[in-house]
Coordinates of all heavy atoms in Angstrom, one line a residue:
M5 N 48.4 70.3 -166.5 CA 47.8 70.5 -167.8 C 46.7 69.4 -168.0 O 46.9 68.3 -167.7 CB 49.0 70.2 -168.8 CG 48.8 70.8 -170.2 SD 48.4 72.5 -170.3 CE 49.6 73.1 -171.3
E6 N 45.6 69.9 -168.4 CA 44.4 69.0 -168.6 C 44.3 68.8 -170.2 O 44.4 69.8 -170.9 CB 43.2 69.6 -168.0 CG 42.0 68.6 -168.1 CD 40.8 69.1 -167.3 OE1 40.8 70.2 -166.7 OE2 39.8 68.4 -167.3
K7 N 44.0 67.6 -170.6 CA 43.7 67.3 -172.0 C 42.3 66.8 -172.1 O 41.9 65.9 -171.4 CB 44.7 66.3 -172.5 CG 44.5 66.0 -174.0 CD 45.6 64.9 -174.4 CE 45.3 64.5 -175.8 NZ 46.3 63.5 -176.2
I8 N 41.5 67.4 -173.1 CA 40.1 67.1 -173.3 C 40.0 66.8 -174.8 O 40.5 67.6 -175.6 CB 39.2 68.2 -172.9 CG1 39.4 68.6 -171.4 CG2 37.7 67.8 -173.1 CD1 38.8 69.9 -171.1
V9 N 39.3 65.7 -175.2 CA 39.2 65.3 -176.6 C 37.7 65.1 -176.9 O 37.0 64.5 -176.1 CB 40.0 64.1 -176.9 CG1 39.8 63.7 -178.4 CG2 41.4 64.3 -176.6
Y10 N 37.2 65.7 -178.0 CA 35.9 65.6 -178.4 C 35.9 65.2 -179.9 O 36.8 65.6 -180.7 CB 35.1 66.9 -178.3 CG 34.9 67.4 -176.9 CD1 35.7 68.5 -176.5 CD2 34.0 66.8 -176.1 CE1 35.6 69.0 -175.2 CE2 33.9 67.3 -174.8 CZ 34.6 68.4 -174.3 OH 34.5 68.9 -173.1
T11 N 34.9 64.4 -180.4 CA 34.7 64.2 -181.8 C 33.2 64.5 -182.1 O 32.3 64.2 -181.3 CB 35.0 62.7 -182.2 OG1 34.2 61.8 -181.4 CG2 36.5 62.5 -182.0
F12 N 33.0 65.0 -183.3 CA 31.7 65.4 -183.8 C 31.6 64.9 -185.3 O 32.5 65.0 -186.0 CB 31.5 66.9 -183.8 CG 31.6 67.4 -182.4 CD1 32.8 68.0 -181.9 CD2 30.5 67.4 -181.5 CE1 32.9 68.5 -180.7 CE2 30.6 68.0 -180.3 CZ 31.8 68.5 -179.8
P13 N 30.4 64.4 -185.7 CA 30.2 64.0 -187.1 C 30.3 65.3 -187.9 O 29.9 66.4 -187.5 CB 28.8 63.4 -187.1 CG 28.1 63.9 -185.9 CD 29.2 64.2 -184.9
A14 N 30.8 65.1 -189.2 CA 30.9 66.3 -190.1 C 30.6 65.9 -191.5 O 30.8 64.7 -191.9 CB 32.3 66.8 -190.0
T15 N 30.1 66.9 -192.3 CA 29.8 66.6 -193.7 C 30.5 67.6 -194.6 O 30.5 67.4 -195.8 CB 28.3 66.7 -193.9 OG1 27.8 68.0 -193.6 CG2 27.5 65.7 -193.1
K16 N 31.0 68.7 -194.0 CA 31.6 69.8 -194.9 C 33.1 69.8 -194.7 O 33.6 69.7 -193.6 CB 31.0 71.1 -194.5 CG 29.5 71.1 -194.7 CD 28.9 72.4 -194.2 CE 27.3 72.3 -194.4 NZ 26.6 73.2 -193.6
K17 N 33.8 70.1 -195.8 CA 35.3 70.2 -195.7 C 35.7 71.6 -195.6 O 35.0 72.5 -196.1 CB 35.9 69.5 -196.9 CG 35.6 68.0 -197.0 CD 36.5 67.4 -198.0 CE 36.3 65.9 -198.0 NZ 37.4 65.2 -197.6
I18 N 36.9 71.8 -195.0 CA 37.5 73.1 -195.0 C 38.6 73.1 -196.1 O 39.1 72.0 -196.5 CB 38.1 73.5 -193.7 CG1 39.1 72.5 -193.1 CG2 36.9 73.7 -192.7 CD1 39.8 73.0 -191.8
D19 N 39.0 74.2 -196.6 CA 39.9 74.3 -197.7 C 41.4 74.2 -197.4 O 42.2 73.7 -198.1 CB 39.7 75.6 -198.5 CG 38.4 75.7 -199.2 OD1 37.8 74.6 -199.5 OD2 37.8 76.8 -199.4
R20 N 41.7 74.8 -196.2 CA 43.1 74.9 -195.9 C 43.4 75.0 -194.4 O 42.5 75.3 -193.6 CB 43.8 76.1 -196.6 CG 43.2 77.4 -196.2 CD 43.7 78.6 -197.1 NE 42.9 79.7 -197.0 CZ 41.8 79.9 -197.8 NH1 41.5 79.0 -198.7 NH2 41.1 81.0 -197.7
F21 N 44.6 74.8 -194.0 CA 45.1 74.9 -192.6 C 44.9 76.4 -192.1 O 45.1 77.3 -192.9 CB 46.6 74.6 -192.7 CG 47.4 74.9 -191.4 CD1 47.4 73.9 -190.4 CD2 48.0 76.1 -191.3 CE1 48.2 74.2 -189.2 CE2 48.7 76.4 -190.1 CZ 48.8 75.4 -189.1
S22 N 44.6 76.5 -190.9 CA 44.6 77.8 -190.2 C 45.1 77.8 -188.8 O 45.1 76.8 -188.2 CB 43.1 78.4 -190.2 OG 42.3 77.6 -189.4
H23 N 45.7 78.9 -188.4 CA 46.3 79.0 -187.1 C 46.1 80.5 -186.6 O 46.5 81.4 -187.3 CB 47.8 78.8 -187.2 CG 48.6 78.9 -186.0 ND1 49.9 79.1 -185.9 CD2 48.2 78.9 -184.7 CE1 50.3 79.2 -184.7 NE2 49.3 79.1 -183.9
V24 N 45.3 80.6 -185.5 CA 45.0 81.9 -185.0 C 45.3 81.9 -183.5 O 45.2 80.9 -182.8 CB 43.6 82.3 -185.3 CG1 43.3 82.5 -186.8 CG2 42.6 81.4 -184.7
G25 N 45.6 83.1 -183.0 CA 45.8 83.3 -181.6 C 47.2 82.9 -181.2 O 47.9 82.2 -181.9
V26 N 47.6 83.3 -179.9 CA 48.9 83.0 -179.4 C 48.7 82.6 -177.9 O 48.2 83.4 -177.1 CB 49.8 84.2 -179.4 CG1 51.2 83.8 -178.8 CG2 50.0 84.6 -180.9
V27 N 49.0 81.4 -177.6 CA 48.8 80.9 -176.2 C 49.8 81.6 -175.2 O 49.4 81.8 -174.1 CB 48.9 79.4 -176.1 CG1 50.3 78.8 -176.2 CG2 48.2 78.9 -174.8
G28 N 50.9 81.9 -175.7 CA 52.0 82.5 -174.8 C 51.6 83.9 -174.2 O 52.1 84.3 -173.2
S29 N 50.6 84.5 -174.8 CA 50.2 85.8 -174.3 C 49.1 85.7 -173.2 O 48.5 86.7 -172.8 CB 49.6 86.7 -175.4 OG 48.4 86.1 -175.9
G30 N 48.8 84.5 -172.7 CA 47.8 84.3 -171.7 C 46.4 84.2 -172.4 O 45.4 84.4 -171.8
D31 N 46.4 83.8 -173.6 CA 45.2 83.8 -174.4 C 44.9 82.4 -174.9 O 44.9 81.4 -174.1 CB 45.3 84.8 -175.6 CG 44.0 85.1 -176.2 OD1 43.0 84.8 -175.8 OD2 44.1 85.8 -177.2
L32 N 44.7 82.2 -176.2 CA 44.2 80.9 -176.7 C 44.7 80.8 -178.2 O 44.7 81.8 -178.9 CB 42.7 80.9 -176.7 CG 42.1 79.6 -177.2 CD1 41.7 78.7 -176.0 CD2 40.8 80.0 -178.0
E33 N 45.2 79.6 -178.5 CA 45.6 79.3 -179.9 C 44.7 78.2 -180.4 O 44.5 77.3 -179.8 CB 47.1 78.8 -179.8 CG 47.7 78.3 -181.0 CD 49.1 77.7 -180.8 OE1 49.2 76.9 -179.9 OE2 50.0 78.2 -181.5
V34 N 44.3 78.4 -181.7 CA 43.5 77.4 -182.4 C 44.2 77.0 -183.7 O 44.6 77.9 -184.5 CB 42.1 77.9 -182.7 CG1 41.3 76.9 -183.5 CG2 41.3 78.2 -181.4
I35 N 44.4 75.7 -183.9 CA 45.0 75.2 -185.1 C 44.0 74.3 -185.7 O 43.5 73.4 -185.1 CB 46.3 74.4 -184.8 CG1 47.3 75.4 -184.1 CG2 46.9 73.8 -186.1 CD1 48.5 74.6 -183.4
M36 N 43.7 74.6 -187.0 CA 42.6 73.8 -187.7 C 43.1 73.3 -189.0 O 43.7 74.1 -189.8 CB 41.4 74.8 -187.9 CG 40.1 74.1 -188.3 SD 38.8 75.3 -188.5 CE 38.3 75.6 -186.7
K37 N 43.1 72.0 -189.1 CA 43.6 71.3 -190.4 C 42.4 70.6 -191.0 O 41.6 69.9 -190.4 CB 44.7 70.3 -190.0 CG 45.9 70.9 -189.4 CD 46.9 69.8 -189.0 CE 48.0 70.4 -188.2 NZ 49.0 69.4 -187.8
P38 N 42.4 70.6 -192.4 CA 41.4 69.8 -193.1 C 41.6 68.3 -192.8 O 42.7 67.8 -192.5 CB 41.7 70.0 -194.6 CG 42.5 71.3 -194.6 CD 43.3 71.3 -193.3
S39 N 40.5 67.5 -192.8 CA 40.6 66.1 -192.6 C 39.7 65.4 -193.6 O 38.7 65.9 -194.1 CB 40.0 65.8 -191.2 OG 39.9 64.4 -191.0
D40 N 40.2 64.2 -194.0 CA 39.4 63.3 -194.9 C 38.4 62.5 -194.2 O 37.6 61.9 -194.8 CB 40.4 62.5 -195.7 CG 41.2 63.3 -196.7 OD1 40.7 64.3 -197.2 OD2 42.4 62.9 -197.0
N41 N 38.5 62.4 -192.9 CA 37.5 61.7 -192.1 C 36.2 62.5 -191.9 O 36.3 63.7 -191.8 CB 38.1 61.4 -190.7 CG 39.3 60.5 -190.7 OD1 39.4 59.7 -191.6 ND2 40.2 60.7 -189.8
P42 N 35.1 61.9 -191.9 CA 33.8 62.6 -191.8 C 33.5 63.0 -190.3 O 32.5 62.7 -189.8 CB 32.8 61.6 -192.3 CG 33.4 60.2 -191.9 CD 34.9 60.4 -192.0
E43 N 34.5 63.7 -189.7 CA 34.3 64.1 -188.3 C 35.3 65.3 -188.0 O 36.2 65.5 -188.7 CB 34.6 63.0 -187.4 CG 36.0 62.5 -187.4 CD 36.3 61.3 -186.4 OE1 35.3 60.6 -186.0 OE2 37.5 61.1 -186.1
A44 N 34.9 65.9 -187.0 CA 35.8 66.9 -186.4 C 36.4 66.3 -185.1 O 35.6 65.8 -184.3 CB 35.1 68.2 -186.0
E45 N 37.7 66.3 -185.0 CA 38.4 65.8 -183.8 C 39.0 67.0 -183.1 O 39.8 67.7 -183.7 CB 39.4 64.8 -184.1 CG 40.1 64.2 -182.9 CD 41.2 63.2 -183.1 OE1 40.9 62.3 -183.9 OE2 42.3 63.4 -182.6
V46 N 38.6 67.3 -181.9 CA 39.0 68.5 -181.2 C 39.8 68.1 -180.0 O 39.3 67.3 -179.1 CB 37.8 69.3 -180.8 CG1 38.2 70.6 -180.1 CG2 36.9 69.6 -182.0
T47 N 41.0 68.5 -179.9 CA 41.9 68.3 -178.7 C 42.2 69.6 -178.1 O 42.7 70.5 -178.7 CB 43.2 67.6 -179.2 OG1 42.9 66.4 -179.9 CG2 44.0 67.2 -177.9
I48 N 41.8 69.6 -176.8 CA 42.1 70.9 -176.0 C 43.1 70.6 -174.9 O 43.0 69.6 -174.2 CB 40.8 71.3 -175.3 CG1 39.7 71.6 -176.3 CG2 41.0 72.5 -174.4 CD1 38.3 71.5 -175.8
R49 N 44.1 71.4 -174.9 CA 45.1 71.4 -173.8 C 45.0 72.7 -173.0 O 45.1 73.8 -173.6 CB 46.5 71.2 -174.4 CG 46.7 69.9 -175.0 CD 48.2 69.8 -175.5 NE 48.4 68.7 -176.3 CZ 48.8 67.5 -175.9 NH1 49.0 67.3 -174.6 NH2 48.9 66.5 -176.7
T50 N 44.7 72.6 -171.8 CA 44.5 73.8 -171.0 C 45.2 73.7 -169.7 O 45.3 72.6 -169.0 CB 43.0 74.0 -170.7 OG1 42.8 75.2 -169.9 CG2 42.3 72.8 -170.0
G51 N 45.7 74.8 -169.2 CA 46.4 74.9 -168.0 C 45.5 75.2 -166.8 O 45.9 75.2 -165.6
I52 N 44.2 75.3 -167.1 CA 43.2 75.6 -166.1 C 42.3 74.4 -165.9 O 41.6 74.0 -166.9 CB 42.3 76.8 -166.5 CG1 43.2 78.0 -166.9 CG2 41.4 77.2 -165.4 CD1 44.1 78.5 -165.9
S53 N 42.4 73.7 -164.8 CA 41.6 72.5 -164.5 C 40.2 72.8 -164.0 O 39.9 73.9 -163.5 CB 42.3 71.6 -163.5 OG 43.6 71.3 -164.0
G54 N 39.3 71.9 -164.2 CA 37.9 72.0 -163.6 C 36.9 72.7 -164.5 O 35.8 72.9 -164.0
Y55 N 37.2 72.9 -165.8 CA 36.2 73.6 -166.6 C 35.7 72.7 -167.8 O 35.3 73.2 -168.8 CB 36.8 74.9 -167.2 CG 36.9 76.0 -166.1 CD1 38.0 76.1 -165.3 CD2 35.8 76.8 -165.9 CE1 38.1 77.1 -164.3 CE2 35.8 77.8 -164.9 CZ 37.0 77.9 -164.1 OH 37.0 78.8 -163.1
K56 N 35.7 71.4 -167.6 CA 35.4 70.5 -168.7 C 33.9 70.8 -169.1 O 33.6 70.7 -170.3 CB 35.5 69.1 -168.2 CG 35.3 68.1 -169.4 CD 35.7 66.7 -169.0 CE 35.5 65.8 -170.2 NZ 35.9 64.4 -169.9
H57 N 33.0 71.0 -168.2 CA 31.6 71.3 -168.6 C 31.5 72.5 -169.4 O 30.7 72.6 -170.4 CB 30.7 71.3 -167.4 CG 30.5 70.0 -166.7 ND1 31.2 69.6 -165.7 CD2 29.7 69.0 -167.1 CE1 30.9 68.4 -165.3 NE2 29.9 68.0 -166.2
T58 N 32.2 73.6 -169.1 CA 32.2 74.8 -169.9 C 32.8 74.6 -171.3 O 32.2 75.0 -172.3 CB 33.0 75.9 -169.1 OG1 32.5 76.1 -167.8 CG2 32.9 77.2 -169.9
W59 N 33.9 73.9 -171.3 CA 34.5 73.5 -172.6 C 33.5 72.8 -173.5 O 33.3 73.1 -174.7 CB 35.8 72.7 -172.5 CG 37.0 73.6 -172.2 CD1 37.6 73.7 -171.0 CD2 37.6 74.4 -173.1 NE1 38.7 74.5 -171.2 CE2 38.7 75.0 -172.5 CE3 37.4 74.7 -174.5 CZ2 39.6 75.9 -173.1 CZ3 38.3 75.6 -175.1 CH2 39.4 76.2 -174.4
E60 N 32.9 71.8 -172.9 CA 31.9 70.9 -173.6 C 30.8 71.8 -174.2 O 30.4 71.6 -175.4 CB 31.3 69.9 -172.7 CG 30.5 68.9 -173.4 CD 30.1 67.7 -172.6 OE1 30.7 67.5 -171.5 OE2 29.1 67.0 -173.0
A61 N 30.2 72.7 -173.4 CA 29.1 73.5 -173.9 C 29.6 74.4 -175.1 O 28.9 74.5 -176.1 CB 28.6 74.4 -172.8
V62 N 30.7 75.1 -175.0 CA 31.2 76.0 -176.0 C 31.5 75.2 -177.3 O 31.1 75.5 -178.4 CB 32.4 76.8 -175.5 CG1 33.1 77.6 -176.7 CG2 32.0 77.7 -174.4
I63 N 32.3 74.1 -177.1 CA 32.7 73.3 -178.3 C 31.6 72.6 -179.0 O 31.4 72.6 -180.2 CB 33.8 72.3 -177.9 CG1 35.0 73.0 -177.3 CG2 34.2 71.3 -179.0 CD1 35.7 73.9 -178.3
Q64 N 30.7 72.1 -178.2 CA 29.5 71.4 -178.8 C 28.6 72.4 -179.6 O 28.2 72.1 -180.7 CB 28.7 70.7 -177.7 CG 27.5 69.9 -178.3 CD 26.9 69.0 -177.3 OE1 27.1 69.1 -176.1 NE2 26.0 68.1 -177.7
R65 N 28.4 73.6 -179.0 CA 27.6 74.6 -179.7 C 28.3 75.0 -181.1 O 27.6 75.0 -182.1 CB 27.5 75.8 -178.8 CG 26.5 76.8 -179.4 CD 26.3 78.0 -178.4 NE 25.9 77.6 -177.1 CZ 26.6 77.9 -176.0 NH1 27.6 78.7 -176.0 NH2 26.2 77.4 -174.8
F66 N 29.6 75.2 -181.1 CA 30.3 75.6 -182.3 C 30.2 74.5 -183.3 O 29.9 74.7 -184.5 CB 31.7 75.9 -182.0 CG 32.5 76.3 -183.2 CD1 32.4 77.7 -183.6 CD2 33.3 75.5 -183.9 CE1 33.1 78.1 -184.8 CE2 33.9 75.9 -185.1 CZ 33.9 77.2 -185.5
F67 N 30.5 73.2 -183.0 CA 30.6 72.1 -184.0 C 29.2 71.6 -184.3 O 29.1 70.9 -185.4 CB 31.6 71.1 -183.5 CG 33.0 71.5 -183.7 CD1 33.7 72.1 -182.6 CD2 33.6 71.4 -184.9 CE1 35.0 72.6 -182.7 CE2 34.9 71.9 -185.1 CZ 35.6 72.5 -184.0
T68 N 28.2 71.9 -183.6 CA 26.9 71.6 -184.0 C 26.4 72.5 -185.1 O 25.8 72.2 -186.1 CB 25.9 71.6 -182.8 OG1 26.3 70.7 -181.9 CG2 24.4 71.4 -183.3
R69 N 26.8 73.8 -185.0 CA 26.5 74.8 -186.0 C 27.4 74.7 -187.2 O 26.9 75.0 -188.3 CB 26.7 76.2 -185.3 CG 26.3 77.3 -186.2 CD 26.4 78.6 -185.5 NE 26.1 79.7 -186.4 CZ 26.7 80.9 -186.4 NH1 27.6 81.1 -185.5 NH2 26.4 81.8 -187.3
H70 N 28.6 74.3 -187.1 CA 29.6 74.2 -188.2 C 30.1 72.7 -188.2 O 31.1 72.4 -187.6 CB 30.8 75.1 -188.0 CG 30.4 76.5 -187.8 ND1 30.0 77.4 -188.8 CD2 30.4 77.3 -186.7 CE1 29.7 78.6 -188.3 NE2 30.0 78.6 -187.0
D71 N 29.4 71.9 -189.0 CA 29.8 70.5 -189.1 C 30.9 70.3 -190.1 O 30.8 69.7 -191.1 CB 28.6 69.6 -189.4 CG 28.0 69.8 -190.8 OD1 28.3 70.9 -191.4 OD2 27.4 68.9 -191.3
I72 N 32.1 70.7 -189.7 CA 33.3 70.7 -190.6 C 34.2 69.5 -190.3 O 34.3 69.1 -189.1 CB 34.1 72.0 -190.4 CG1 34.6 72.2 -189.0 CG2 33.4 73.2 -191.0 CD1 35.6 73.3 -188.8
A73 N 34.7 68.9 -191.3 CA 35.7 67.8 -191.2 C 37.0 68.4 -191.0 O 37.6 69.0 -191.9 CB 35.6 66.9 -192.4
A74 N 37.5 68.3 -189.7 CA 38.8 68.9 -189.4 C 39.4 68.3 -188.2 O 38.7 67.7 -187.4 CB 38.6 70.4 -189.2
T75 N 40.7 68.5 -188.1 CA 41.5 68.2 -186.9 C 41.8 69.5 -186.2 O 42.4 70.4 -186.9 CB 42.8 67.4 -187.2 OG1 42.5 66.2 -187.9 CG2 43.5 67.1 -185.9
V76 N 41.3 69.7 -185.0 CA 41.4 71.0 -184.3 C 42.2 70.8 -183.0 O 41.9 69.9 -182.2 CB 40.0 71.6 -184.0 CG1 40.1 72.9 -183.3 CG2 39.2 71.7 -185.3
K77 N 43.2 71.6 -182.9 CA 44.0 71.6 -181.6 C 43.8 73.0 -181.0 O 44.0 74.0 -181.6 CB 45.4 71.4 -181.9 CG 45.6 69.9 -182.4 CD 47.1 69.6 -182.3 CE 47.4 68.2 -183.0 NZ 46.8 67.1 -182.5
I78 N 43.4 73.0 -179.7 CA 43.2 74.3 -179.0 C 44.2 74.2 -177.8 O 44.2 73.3 -177.0 CB 41.8 74.4 -178.5 CG1 40.8 74.4 -179.7 CG2 41.6 75.6 -177.6 CD1 39.3 74.4 -179.3
N79 N 45.0 75.2 -177.7 CA 45.9 75.4 -176.6 C 45.5 76.6 -175.8 O 45.4 77.7 -176.3 CB 47.4 75.6 -177.1 CG 47.8 74.3 -177.8 OD1 47.7 73.2 -177.3 ND2 48.3 74.5 -179.0
D80 N 45.1 76.4 -174.5 CA 44.5 77.4 -173.7 C 45.3 77.8 -172.5 O 45.9 76.9 -171.9 CB 43.1 76.9 -173.3 CG 42.5 77.8 -172.3 OD1 42.3 79.0 -172.5 OD2 42.2 77.3 -171.1
F81 N 45.3 79.1 -172.2 CA 45.9 79.5 -170.9 C 44.9 80.5 -170.2 O 45.2 81.6 -169.9 CB 47.2 80.2 -171.2 CG 48.1 80.4 -169.9 CD1 48.7 79.3 -169.3 CD2 48.2 81.6 -169.4 CE1 49.4 79.4 -168.2 CE2 49.0 81.8 -168.2 CZ 49.6 80.7 -167.6
G82 N 43.7 80.0 -170.0 CA 42.7 80.7 -169.3 C 41.8 81.6 -170.1 O 41.3 82.6 -169.5
A83 N 41.6 81.4 -171.3 CA 40.7 82.2 -172.1 C 39.2 82.1 -171.7 O 38.8 81.0 -171.3 CB 40.8 81.9 -173.6
T84 N 38.5 83.1 -171.9 CA 37.0 83.1 -171.5 C 36.3 82.3 -172.7 O 36.8 82.3 -173.8 CB 36.5 84.5 -171.4 OG1 36.5 85.1 -172.6 CG2 37.2 85.3 -170.3
P85 N 35.1 81.9 -172.4 CA 34.3 81.2 -173.5 C 34.1 82.1 -174.7 O 34.1 81.7 -175.8 CB 32.9 80.9 -172.8 CG 33.3 80.7 -171.3 CD 34.4 81.7 -171.1
G86 N 33.9 83.4 -174.5 CA 33.8 84.4 -175.6 C 35.0 84.4 -176.5 O 34.9 84.5 -177.7
V87 N 36.2 84.3 -175.9 CA 37.4 84.3 -176.7 C 37.5 83.0 -177.4 O 38.0 83.0 -178.6 CB 38.6 84.6 -175.7 CG1 39.9 84.3 -176.5 CG2 38.6 86.0 -175.2
V88 N 37.1 81.9 -176.8 CA 37.2 80.6 -177.4 C 36.3 80.6 -178.7 O 36.8 80.3 -179.8 CB 36.7 79.5 -176.5 CG1 36.6 78.2 -177.2 CG2 37.7 79.4 -175.3
K89 N 35.1 81.1 -178.6 CA 34.2 81.2 -179.7 C 34.8 82.1 -180.8 O 34.8 81.8 -182.0 CB 32.8 81.7 -179.3 CG 31.8 81.8 -180.4 CD 30.5 82.4 -180.0 CE 29.5 82.6 -181.1 NZ 29.9 83.5 -182.1
L90 N 35.3 83.3 -180.4 CA 35.9 84.2 -181.4 C 37.1 83.5 -182.1 O 37.2 83.6 -183.4 CB 36.4 85.5 -180.7 CG 37.2 86.5 -181.5 CD1 36.3 87.1 -182.6 CD2 37.8 87.5 -180.6
R91 N 38.0 82.9 -181.4 CA 39.1 82.2 -182.1 C 38.7 81.1 -183.0 O 39.2 80.9 -184.1 CB 40.1 81.7 -181.0 CG 40.8 82.8 -180.3 CD 42.0 83.3 -181.1 NE 42.7 84.3 -180.3 CZ 42.6 85.6 -180.4 NH1 41.8 86.1 -181.3 NH2 43.3 86.4 -179.6
L92 N 37.7 80.3 -182.6 CA 37.2 79.3 -183.5 C 36.6 79.9 -184.7 O 36.8 79.4 -185.8 CB 36.2 78.4 -182.7 CG 36.7 77.4 -181.8 CD1 35.6 76.8 -180.9 CD2 37.5 76.3 -182.5
E93 N 35.8 80.9 -184.6 CA 35.2 81.6 -185.8 C 36.3 82.2 -186.7 O 36.2 82.1 -187.9 CB 34.3 82.8 -185.3 CG 33.1 82.3 -184.6 CD 32.0 81.7 -185.5 OE1 32.1 81.8 -186.8 OE2 31.0 81.1 -185.0
Q94 N 37.4 82.7 -186.1 CA 38.5 83.3 -186.9 C 39.2 82.1 -187.6 O 39.5 82.3 -188.8 CB 39.5 84.0 -186.0 CG 39.0 85.3 -185.4 CD 40.0 85.9 -184.4 OE1 40.7 85.1 -183.7 NE2 40.0 87.2 -184.4
A95 N 39.5 81.0 -187.0 CA 40.1 79.9 -187.6 C 39.3 79.4 -188.7 O 39.8 79.0 -189.8 CB 40.4 78.8 -186.6
L96 N 38.0 79.3 -188.5 CA 37.1 78.8 -189.6 C 37.1 79.7 -190.8 O 37.2 79.3 -191.9 CB 35.7 78.7 -189.0 CG 34.6 78.1 -189.9 CD1 35.0 76.6 -190.3 CD2 33.3 78.1 -189.3
E97 N 37.1 81.0 -190.6 CA 37.2 82.0 -191.7 C 38.5 81.9 -192.4 O 38.5 81.9 -193.7 CB 37.0 83.4 -191.1 CG 37.0 84.5 -192.2 CD 36.8 85.9 -191.7 OE1 36.2 86.0 -190.6 OE2 37.3 86.8 -192.3
V98 N 39.6 81.7 -191.7 CA 40.9 81.6 -192.4 C 41.0 80.3 -193.2 O 41.6 80.2 -194.2 CB 42.1 81.7 -191.3 CG1 43.4 81.3 -191.9 CG2 42.1 83.1 -190.7
S99 N 40.3 79.3 -192.7 CA 40.3 77.9 -193.4 C 39.6 77.9 -194.7 O 39.7 76.9 -195.4 CB 39.7 76.9 -192.4 OG 38.3 77.0 -192.4
G100 N 38.9 79.0 -195.0 CA 38.2 79.0 -196.3 C 36.8 78.4 -196.3 O 36.2 78.3 -197.4
H101 N 36.3 78.1 -195.2 CA 34.9 77.6 -195.1 C 33.9 78.7 -195.2 O 34.1 79.8 -194.7 CB 34.7 76.9 -193.8 CG 33.4 76.3 -193.6 ND1 33.0 75.2 -194.4 CD2 32.3 76.6 -192.8 CE1 31.7 74.9 -194.0 NE2 31.3 75.7 -193.1
D102 N 32.9 78.5 -196.0 CA 31.8 79.5 -196.2 C 30.9 79.6 -194.9 O 30.4 78.7 -194.4 CB 30.9 79.1 -197.4 CG 31.7 79.2 -198.7 OD1 32.7 79.8 -198.7 OD2 31.3 78.5 -199.6

């Protein structure tokens, strides 16, 4: 299991907790919680090693576009970058962010 942590500055708050996806199905789970800190803290746990550069590109692109103050946990079991982006967008929508 590989653990990767990123932090990004943030100025916008999300309204509520969100949870999308299921890691047990060989997919990806995203848990997003509001934070009072002016940053997004993203923790990724993945069973697939060696893709840190890919994760960095996908996560950085998303949190540069959406500067939300949140604690985000991502549990991965081999999801593609497209699925990662989709799940993050779904979690953001459920969280009540415009």
Side-chain angles (χ1 to χ4, degrees):
M5 202 53 125
E6 186 172 2
K7 180 179 175 182
I8 307 166
V9 178
Y10 298 103
T11 57
F12 300 95
T15 61
K16 300 174 184 160
K17 294 192 179 246
I18 59 174
D19 296 334
R20 62 187 161 275
F21 169 89
S22 63
H23 179 202
V24 297
V26 179
V27 73
S29 68
D31 197 5
L32 183 96
E33 171 185 56
V34 175
I35 301 164
M36 193 175 284
K37 299 177 185 177
S39 175
D40 291 328
N41 296 328
E43 67 182 18
E45 180 181 311
V46 183
T47 303
I48 302 160
R49 292 182 190 269
T50 179
I52 312 299
S53 299
Y55 287 91
K56 188 172 183 176
H57 288 98
T58 303
W59 276 108
E60 186 172 346
V62 172
I63 297 301
Q64 186 170 9
R65 187 175 308 125
F66 181 83
F67 285 94
T68 298
R69 184 171 175 220
H70 305 285
D71 67 338
I72 56 167
T75 301
V76 180
K77 294 192 187 299
I78 298 173
N79 298 308
D80 171 56
F81 195 72
T84 65
V87 170
V88 173
K89 181 182 179 298
L90 175 66
R91 290 282 183 257
L92 284 167
E93 294 284 350
Q94 288 172 328
L96 186 61
E97 184 178 329
V98 171
S99 75
H101 180 69
D102 296 336

